[in-house]
Amino acid sequence: MALMLFVAGLVFLVVGAELLVRGASRLAAVFGISPIVVGLTVVAFGTSAPELAVSVKSAFADQAGIALGNVVGSNIFNVLFILGLTALITPLTVSQRLIRLDVPLMIALSVTVLLFALNGVIGRVEGAVLVLALALYVGFAIVQSRRESPAVTGEYADEADRRGTGRWPTNVLLVVGGLVLLVLGAGWLVDGAIRFAQVLGISELVIGLTVVAAGTSLPEVVTSVVAAIRGERDIAVGNVVGSNLFNIMGVLGVTALIAPEGIGVSAAALNFDIPVMIAVAFACLPILFTGGVISRQEAVVLLGYYVAYTLYLVLAATHHDALTPFSSVMLYFVIPLTVVTLGVIAVQELRRNAGVRPPGPPPEDR
């Protein structure tokens, strides 16, 4: 019964998110909203809607471990698994905007979550700060979209005309239907996850970090993989980073703002899982430095770390004897070696870029 609830919840979440994104995107086109704003708000909300629905339902059901684990686990899953999988299919091109703005913002927000969690609760004040940050971010996107040239705006308008927007009542029905499926799916998935935790004797935090996080991230998986196959590589990377930003500001912020007792933070999440989320965010910078491309070799590293992270959670949850030697190898060998390697790559890339001169004669000869 728990398995049936869980699978049905996942299906409803994925279908509901798809309907919501399709209807909302078409409505935005009808009302002339900029495609950039649509991408940063409608699409980001749509792919993160399962996380939001599950986290809110868990918070009201007094299942704080699932609510927090869902956000933290989804952000770790997005970078390590989704970026790794899509870059394994085809090397991913990274835009300069992501390197200069969005990834540093993701790092700053991840550190902010740790600071907010130090007292053991992410309360309504912290939630309000995160929601305000989301509003400022969207506002910045709107200002940036108004600076688009008429040629770019016309190109987007032509693309919208080719695809068609349909009648607005139909699009409203798509949005409403998507929201209904999200609510139902979230309820079933949370109920199934709780029963899994009870039957297997695993904490709600671990269930939220693994099964629920992976399940609610299915829209991001599909979006990034399809974008990579179609050659829209920048979309594949932007979808992951944008989803992580919305998970922290939107999902965690809204959940903390409306949860009666706030979101409780366990010692395990504070001492391990949130720091891992921060480390994963920091790891994006040197990878993105390497010529603006995530290579297949880097993809293997990302996927390997996700396997190692999941294995650690399983070993810790089952109190397996292999936990101590596995932790020692990861802590004292694998992680330092990876940090040094990424650091060397980043320094070499910075030096290479600094040594590149523009074409033409030297400045003194001009």
Side-chain angles (χ1 to χ4, degrees), residues 105-136:
L105 179 59
M106 181 176 67
I107 293 172
L109 287 171
S110 299
V111 174
T112 300
V113 171
L114 178 63
L115 297 177
F116 284 169
L118 288 177
N119 63 350
V121 177
I122 300 177
R124 290 182 172 174
V125 174
E126 290 88 350
V129 170
L130 292 174
V131 172
L132 177 61
L134 178 61
L136 293 175

PDB file of all heavy atoms in Angstrom, residues 105-136:
ATOM      1  N   LEU A 105      25.188  33.323  -6.291  1.00  0.00           N
ATOM      2  CA  LEU A 105      23.980  33.519  -5.489  1.00  0.00           C
ATOM      3  C   LEU A 105      23.544  32.205  -4.853  1.00  0.00           C
ATOM      4  O   LEU A 105      23.121  32.175  -3.685  1.00  0.00           O
ATOM      5  CB  LEU A 105      22.857  34.077  -6.369  1.00  0.00           C
ATOM      6  CG  LEU A 105      21.513  34.324  -5.670  1.00  0.00           C
ATOM      7  CD1 LEU A 105      21.674  35.308  -4.520  1.00  0.00           C
ATOM      8  CD2 LEU A 105      20.484  34.833  -6.672  1.00  0.00           C
ATOM      9  N   MET A 106      23.647  31.090  -5.590  1.00  0.00           N
ATOM     10  CA  MET A 106      23.314  29.778  -5.030  1.00  0.00           C
ATOM     11  C   MET A 106      24.212  29.451  -3.845  1.00  0.00           C
ATOM     12  O   MET A 106      23.752  28.919  -2.826  1.00  0.00           O
ATOM     13  CB  MET A 106      23.434  28.708  -6.113  1.00  0.00           C
ATOM     14  CG  MET A 106      23.096  27.294  -5.653  1.00  0.00           C
ATOM     15  SD  MET A 106      23.147  26.084  -7.006  1.00  0.00           S
ATOM     16  CE  MET A 106      24.904  26.072  -7.389  1.00  0.00           C
ATOM     17  N   ILE A 107      25.498  29.770  -3.957  1.00  0.00           N
ATOM     18  CA  ILE A 107      26.437  29.538  -2.852  1.00  0.00           C
ATOM     19  C   ILE A 107      26.054  30.388  -1.646  1.00  0.00           C
ATOM     20  O   ILE A 107      25.995  29.902  -0.503  1.00  0.00           O
ATOM     21  CB  ILE A 107      27.869  29.849  -3.305  1.00  0.00           C
ATOM     22  CG1 ILE A 107      28.325  28.847  -4.364  1.00  0.00           C
ATOM     23  CG2 ILE A 107      28.829  29.829  -2.110  1.00  0.00           C
ATOM     24  CD1 ILE A 107      29.652  29.192  -4.997  1.00  0.00           C
ATOM     25  N   ALA A 108      25.781  31.671  -1.880  1.00  0.00           N
ATOM     26  CA  ALA A 108      25.428  32.580  -0.781  1.00  0.00           C
ATOM     27  C   ALA A 108      24.150  32.125  -0.073  1.00  0.00           C
ATOM     28  O   ALA A 108      24.070  32.151   1.165  1.00  0.00           O
ATOM     29  CB  ALA A 108      25.259  33.998  -1.322  1.00  0.00           C
ATOM     30  N   LEU A 109      23.163  31.689  -0.834  1.00  0.00           N
ATOM     31  CA  LEU A 109      21.907  31.235  -0.233  1.00  0.00           C
ATOM     32  C   LEU A 109      22.098  29.938   0.549  1.00  0.00           C
ATOM     33  O   LEU A 109      21.484  29.742   1.604  1.00  0.00           O
ATOM     34  CB  LEU A 109      20.853  31.040  -1.319  1.00  0.00           C
ATOM     35  CG  LEU A 109      20.275  32.317  -1.935  1.00  0.00           C
ATOM     36  CD1 LEU A 109      19.420  31.987  -3.141  1.00  0.00           C
ATOM     37  CD2 LEU A 109      19.459  33.084  -0.898  1.00  0.00           C
ATOM     38  N   SER A 110      22.957  29.044   0.055  1.00  0.00           N
ATOM     39  CA  SER A 110      23.223  27.789   0.771  1.00  0.00           C
ATOM     40  C   SER A 110      23.875  28.072   2.115  1.00  0.00           C
ATOM     41  O   SER A 110      23.520  27.456   3.132  1.00  0.00           O
ATOM     42  CB  SER A 110      24.130  26.890  -0.083  1.00  0.00           C
ATOM     43  OG  SER A 110      23.516  26.567  -1.314  1.00  0.00           O
ATOM     44  N   VAL A 111      24.819  29.017   2.137  1.00  0.00           N
ATOM     45  CA  VAL A 111      25.457  29.407   3.407  1.00  0.00           C
ATOM     46  C   VAL A 111      24.431  30.072   4.331  1.00  0.00           C
ATOM     47  O   VAL A 111      24.430  29.844   5.546  1.00  0.00           O
ATOM     48  CB  VAL A 111      26.642  30.347   3.139  1.00  0.00           C
ATOM     49  CG1 VAL A 111      27.215  30.881   4.454  1.00  0.00           C
ATOM     50  CG2 VAL A 111      27.732  29.631   2.346  1.00  0.00           C
ATOM     51  N   THR A 112      23.535  30.856   3.746  1.00  0.00           N
ATOM     52  CA  THR A 112      22.492  31.517   4.544  1.00  0.00           C
ATOM     53  C   THR A 112      21.598  30.497   5.240  1.00  0.00           C
ATOM     54  O   THR A 112      21.199  30.695   6.395  1.00  0.00           O
ATOM     55  CB  THR A 112      21.644  32.432   3.640  1.00  0.00           C
ATOM     56  OG1 THR A 112      22.486  33.415   3.038  1.00  0.00           O
ATOM     57  CG2 THR A 112      20.561  33.132   4.444  1.00  0.00           C
ATOM     58  N   VAL A 113      21.265  29.409   4.543  1.00  0.00           N
ATOM     59  CA  VAL A 113      20.451  28.359   5.161  1.00  0.00           C
ATOM     60  C   VAL A 113      21.149  27.804   6.399  1.00  0.00           C
ATOM     61  O   VAL A 113      20.518  27.581   7.443  1.00  0.00           O
ATOM     62  CB  VAL A 113      20.165  27.226   4.151  1.00  0.00           C
ATOM     63  CG1 VAL A 113      19.506  26.036   4.840  1.00  0.00           C
ATOM     64  CG2 VAL A 113      19.269  27.730   3.027  1.00  0.00           C
ATOM     65  N   LEU A 114      22.451  27.586   6.307  1.00  0.00           N
ATOM     66  CA  LEU A 114      23.207  27.087   7.463  1.00  0.00           C
ATOM     67  C   LEU A 114      23.154  28.075   8.618  1.00  0.00           C
ATOM     68  O   LEU A 114      22.942  27.684   9.781  1.00  0.00           O
ATOM     69  CB  LEU A 114      24.657  26.824   7.060  1.00  0.00           C
ATOM     70  CG  LEU A 114      25.586  26.338   8.184  1.00  0.00           C
ATOM     71  CD1 LEU A 114      25.128  24.987   8.716  1.00  0.00           C
ATOM     72  CD2 LEU A 114      27.031  26.256   7.694  1.00  0.00           C
ATOM     73  N   LEU A 115      23.309  29.356   8.331  1.00  0.00           N
ATOM     74  CA  LEU A 115      23.254  30.371   9.386  1.00  0.00           C
ATOM     75  C   LEU A 115      21.867  30.420  10.025  1.00  0.00           C
ATOM     76  O   LEU A 115      21.746  30.540  11.253  1.00  0.00           O
ATOM     77  CB  LEU A 115      23.621  31.742   8.809  1.00  0.00           C
ATOM     78  CG  LEU A 115      25.048  31.881   8.262  1.00  0.00           C
ATOM     79  CD1 LEU A 115      25.250  33.267   7.664  1.00  0.00           C
ATOM     80  CD2 LEU A 115      26.074  31.613   9.358  1.00  0.00           C
ATOM     81  N   PHE A 116      20.824  30.336   9.220  1.00  0.00           N
ATOM     82  CA  PHE A 116      19.459  30.344   9.745  1.00  0.00           C
ATOM     83  C   PHE A 116      19.178  29.109  10.604  1.00  0.00           C
ATOM     84  O   PHE A 116      18.351  29.160  11.530  1.00  0.00           O
ATOM     85  CB  PHE A 116      18.448  30.386   8.597  1.00  0.00           C
ATOM     86  CG  PHE A 116      18.311  31.735   7.948  1.00  0.00           C
ATOM     87  CD1 PHE A 116      17.608  31.874   6.760  1.00  0.00           C
ATOM     88  CD2 PHE A 116      18.880  32.862   8.519  1.00  0.00           C
ATOM     89  CE1 PHE A 116      17.475  33.116   6.152  1.00  0.00           C
ATOM     90  CE2 PHE A 116      18.756  34.112   7.923  1.00  0.00           C
ATOM     91  CZ  PHE A 116      18.053  34.234   6.737  1.00  0.00           C
ATOM     92  N   ALA A 117      19.855  27.997  10.305  1.00  0.00           N
ATOM     93  CA  ALA A 117      19.563  26.726  10.978  1.00  0.00           C
ATOM     94  C   ALA A 117      20.366  26.530  12.260  1.00  0.00           C
ATOM     95  O   ALA A 117      20.162  25.536  12.962  1.00  0.00           O
ATOM     96  CB  ALA A 117      19.835  25.561  10.029  1.00  0.00           C
ATOM     97  N   LEU A 118      21.270  27.444  12.583  1.00  0.00           N
ATOM     98  CA  LEU A 118      22.160  27.242  13.736  1.00  0.00           C
ATOM     99  C   LEU A 118      21.402  27.119  15.059  1.00  0.00           C
ATOM    100  O   LEU A 118      21.857  26.426  15.977  1.00  0.00           O
ATOM    101  CB  LEU A 118      23.171  28.402  13.821  1.00  0.00           C
ATOM    102  CG  LEU A 118      24.260  28.414  12.749  1.00  0.00           C
ATOM    103  CD1 LEU A 118      25.144  29.644  12.905  1.00  0.00           C
ATOM    104  CD2 LEU A 118      25.094  27.132  12.807  1.00  0.00           C
ATOM    105  N   ASN A 119      20.244  27.775  15.168  1.00  0.00           N
ATOM    106  CA  ASN A 119      19.478  27.688  16.416  1.00  0.00           C
ATOM    107  C   ASN A 119      18.518  26.501  16.441  1.00  0.00           C
ATOM    108  O   ASN A 119      17.734  26.350  17.380  1.00  0.00           O
ATOM    109  CB  ASN A 119      18.701  28.983  16.645  1.00  0.00           C
ATOM    110  CG  ASN A 119      17.664  29.244  15.570  1.00  0.00           C
ATOM    111  OD1 ASN A 119      17.638  28.556  14.539  1.00  0.00           O
ATOM    112  ND2 ASN A 119      16.806  30.226  15.793  1.00  0.00           N
ATOM    113  N   GLY A 120      18.574  25.653  15.401  1.00  0.00           N
ATOM    114  CA  GLY A 120      17.760  24.445  15.388  1.00  0.00           C
ATOM    115  C   GLY A 120      16.402  24.595  14.743  1.00  0.00           C
ATOM    116  O   GLY A 120      15.677  23.612  14.596  1.00  0.00           O
ATOM    117  N   VAL A 121      16.019  25.812  14.344  1.00  0.00           N
ATOM    118  CA  VAL A 121      14.712  26.044  13.716  1.00  0.00           C
ATOM    119  C   VAL A 121      14.859  27.126  12.651  1.00  0.00           C
ATOM    120  O   VAL A 121      15.494  28.154  12.893  1.00  0.00           O
ATOM    121  CB  VAL A 121      13.651  26.486  14.746  1.00  0.00           C
ATOM    122  CG1 VAL A 121      12.323  26.793  14.047  1.00  0.00           C
ATOM    123  CG2 VAL A 121      13.442  25.433  15.803  1.00  0.00           C
ATOM    124  N   ILE A 122      14.273  26.883  11.484  1.00  0.00           N
ATOM    125  CA  ILE A 122      14.140  27.924  10.473  1.00  0.00           C
ATOM    126  C   ILE A 122      12.714  28.446  10.588  1.00  0.00           C
ATOM    127  O   ILE A 122      11.763  27.789  10.164  1.00  0.00           O
ATOM    128  CB  ILE A 122      14.419  27.377   9.057  1.00  0.00           C
ATOM    129  CG1 ILE A 122      15.841  26.814   8.981  1.00  0.00           C
ATOM    130  CG2 ILE A 122      14.234  28.472   8.007  1.00  0.00           C
ATOM    131  CD1 ILE A 122      16.185  26.187   7.641  1.00  0.00           C
ATOM    132  N   GLY A 123      12.570  29.602  11.234  1.00  0.00           N
ATOM    133  CA  GLY A 123      11.252  30.119  11.579  1.00  0.00           C
ATOM    134  C   GLY A 123      10.663  31.055  10.551  1.00  0.00           C
ATOM    135  O   GLY A 123      11.161  31.195   9.431  1.00  0.00           O
ATOM    136  N   ARG A 124       9.594  31.719  10.951  1.00  0.00           N
ATOM    137  CA  ARG A 124       8.862  32.570  10.024  1.00  0.00           C
ATOM    138  C   ARG A 124       9.649  33.804   9.614  1.00  0.00           C
ATOM    139  O   ARG A 124       9.510  34.274   8.483  1.00  0.00           O
ATOM    140  CB  ARG A 124       7.525  32.975  10.654  1.00  0.00           C
ATOM    141  CG  ARG A 124       6.551  31.800  10.751  1.00  0.00           C
ATOM    142  CD  ARG A 124       5.220  32.200  11.318  1.00  0.00           C
ATOM    143  NE  ARG A 124       4.263  31.098  11.206  1.00  0.00           N
ATOM    144  CZ  ARG A 124       3.037  31.126  11.721  1.00  0.00           C
ATOM    145  NH1 ARG A 124       2.618  32.203  12.378  1.00  0.00           N
ATOM    146  NH2 ARG A 124       2.241  30.078  11.579  1.00  0.00           N
ATOM    147  N   VAL A 125      10.453  34.345  10.501  1.00  0.00           N
ATOM    148  CA  VAL A 125      11.260  35.516  10.143  1.00  0.00           C
ATOM    149  C   VAL A 125      12.248  35.142   9.041  1.00  0.00           C
ATOM    150  O   VAL A 125      12.394  35.857   8.031  1.00  0.00           O
ATOM    151  CB  VAL A 125      12.008  36.059  11.376  1.00  0.00           C
ATOM    152  CG1 VAL A 125      12.954  37.172  10.968  1.00  0.00           C
ATOM    153  CG2 VAL A 125      11.016  36.560  12.415  1.00  0.00           C
ATOM    154  N   GLU A 126      12.944  34.013   9.228  1.00  0.00           N
ATOM    155  CA  GLU A 126      13.885  33.548   8.198  1.00  0.00           C
ATOM    156  C   GLU A 126      13.151  33.242   6.890  1.00  0.00           C
ATOM    157  O   GLU A 126      13.644  33.530   5.795  1.00  0.00           O
ATOM    158  CB  GLU A 126      14.627  32.303   8.673  1.00  0.00           C
ATOM    159  CG  GLU A 126      15.624  32.558   9.787  1.00  0.00           C
ATOM    160  CD  GLU A 126      14.999  32.459  11.167  1.00  0.00           C
ATOM    161  OE1 GLU A 126      13.750  32.377  11.246  1.00  0.00           O
ATOM    162  OE2 GLU A 126      15.746  32.457  12.156  1.00  0.00           O
ATOM    163  N   GLY A 127      11.940  32.634   7.023  1.00  0.00           N
ATOM    164  CA  GLY A 127      11.158  32.352   5.833  1.00  0.00           C
ATOM    165  C   GLY A 127      10.786  33.618   5.082  1.00  0.00           C
ATOM    166  O   GLY A 127      10.850  33.670   3.846  1.00  0.00           O
ATOM    167  N   ALA A 128      10.412  34.663   5.826  1.00  0.00           N
ATOM    168  CA  ALA A 128      10.063  35.933   5.202  1.00  0.00           C
ATOM    169  C   ALA A 128      11.262  36.544   4.488  1.00  0.00           C
ATOM    170  O   ALA A 128      11.121  37.128   3.398  1.00  0.00           O
ATOM    171  CB  ALA A 128       9.530  36.899   6.250  1.00  0.00           C
ATOM    172  N   VAL A 129      12.456  36.405   5.075  1.00  0.00           N
ATOM    173  CA  VAL A 129      13.671  36.928   4.442  1.00  0.00           C
ATOM    174  C   VAL A 129      13.921  36.217   3.110  1.00  0.00           C
ATOM    175  O   VAL A 129      14.256  36.854   2.098  1.00  0.00           O
ATOM    176  CB  VAL A 129      14.883  36.759   5.378  1.00  0.00           C
ATOM    177  CG1 VAL A 129      16.188  37.076   4.649  1.00  0.00           C
ATOM    178  CG2 VAL A 129      14.742  37.655   6.600  1.00  0.00           C
ATOM    179  N   LEU A 130      13.752  34.894   3.094  1.00  0.00           N
ATOM    180  CA  LEU A 130      13.983  34.131   1.867  1.00  0.00           C
ATOM    181  C   LEU A 130      12.951  34.483   0.796  1.00  0.00           C
ATOM    182  O   LEU A 130      13.296  34.613  -0.392  1.00  0.00           O
ATOM    183  CB  LEU A 130      13.940  32.627   2.172  1.00  0.00           C
ATOM    184  CG  LEU A 130      15.087  32.095   3.041  1.00  0.00           C
ATOM    185  CD1 LEU A 130      14.856  30.624   3.384  1.00  0.00           C
ATOM    186  CD2 LEU A 130      16.423  32.272   2.335  1.00  0.00           C
ATOM    187  N   VAL A 131      11.691  34.627   1.190  1.00  0.00           N
ATOM    188  CA  VAL A 131      10.648  34.999   0.222  1.00  0.00           C
ATOM    189  C   VAL A 131      10.917  36.396  -0.332  1.00  0.00           C
ATOM    190  O   VAL A 131      10.735  36.657  -1.530  1.00  0.00           O
ATOM    191  CB  VAL A 131       9.253  34.921   0.868  1.00  0.00           C
ATOM    192  CG1 VAL A 131       8.189  35.486  -0.062  1.00  0.00           C
ATOM    193  CG2 VAL A 131       8.919  33.468   1.224  1.00  0.00           C
ATOM    194  N   LEU A 132      11.364  37.309   0.539  1.00  0.00           N
ATOM    195  CA  LEU A 132      11.714  38.654   0.083  1.00  0.00           C
ATOM    196  C   LEU A 132      12.875  38.607  -0.912  1.00  0.00           C
ATOM    197  O   LEU A 132      12.869  39.322  -1.928  1.00  0.00           O
ATOM    198  CB  LEU A 132      12.088  39.527   1.278  1.00  0.00           C
ATOM    199  CG  LEU A 132      12.560  40.957   0.951  1.00  0.00           C
ATOM    200  CD1 LEU A 132      11.459  41.729   0.227  1.00  0.00           C
ATOM    201  CD2 LEU A 132      12.983  41.688   2.230  1.00  0.00           C
ATOM    202  N   ALA A 133      13.852  37.744  -0.632  1.00  0.00           N
ATOM    203  CA  ALA A 133      14.974  37.583  -1.559  1.00  0.00           C
ATOM    204  C   ALA A 133      14.486  37.086  -2.914  1.00  0.00           C
ATOM    205  O   ALA A 133      14.976  37.527  -3.968  1.00  0.00           O
ATOM    206  CB  ALA A 133      16.004  36.619  -0.975  1.00  0.00           C
ATOM    207  N   LEU A 134      13.502  36.171  -2.907  1.00  0.00           N
ATOM    208  CA  LEU A 134      12.938  35.673  -4.169  1.00  0.00           C
ATOM    209  C   LEU A 134      12.259  36.798  -4.940  1.00  0.00           C
ATOM    210  O   LEU A 134      12.413  36.917  -6.157  1.00  0.00           O
ATOM    211  CB  LEU A 134      11.943  34.548  -3.885  1.00  0.00           C
ATOM    212  CG  LEU A 134      11.223  33.963  -5.104  1.00  0.00           C
ATOM    213  CD1 LEU A 134      12.222  33.346  -6.068  1.00  0.00           C
ATOM    214  CD2 LEU A 134      10.185  32.925  -4.668  1.00  0.00           C
ATOM    215  N   ALA A 135      11.513  37.649  -4.214  1.00  0.00           N
ATOM    216  CA  ALA A 135      10.842  38.769  -4.867  1.00  0.00           C
ATOM    217  C   ALA A 135      11.856  39.730  -5.490  1.00  0.00           C
ATOM    218  O   ALA A 135      11.656  40.223  -6.613  1.00  0.00           O
ATOM    219  CB  ALA A 135       9.966  39.508  -3.854  1.00  0.00           C
ATOM    220  N   LEU A 136      12.946  39.989  -4.789  1.00  0.00           N
ATOM    221  CA  LEU A 136      13.990  40.869  -5.320  1.00  0.00           C
ATOM    222  C   LEU A 136      14.648  40.247  -6.547  1.00  0.00           C
ATOM    223  O   LEU A 136      14.961  40.937  -7.525  1.00  0.00           O
ATOM    224  CB  LEU A 136      15.039  41.157  -4.240  1.00  0.00           C
ATOM    225  CG  LEU A 136      14.562  41.985  -3.050  1.00  0.00           C
ATOM    226  CD1 LEU A 136      15.665  42.093  -2.000  1.00  0.00           C
ATOM    227  CD2 LEU A 136      14.129  43.385  -3.497  1.00  0.00           C
TER     228      LEU A 136
END
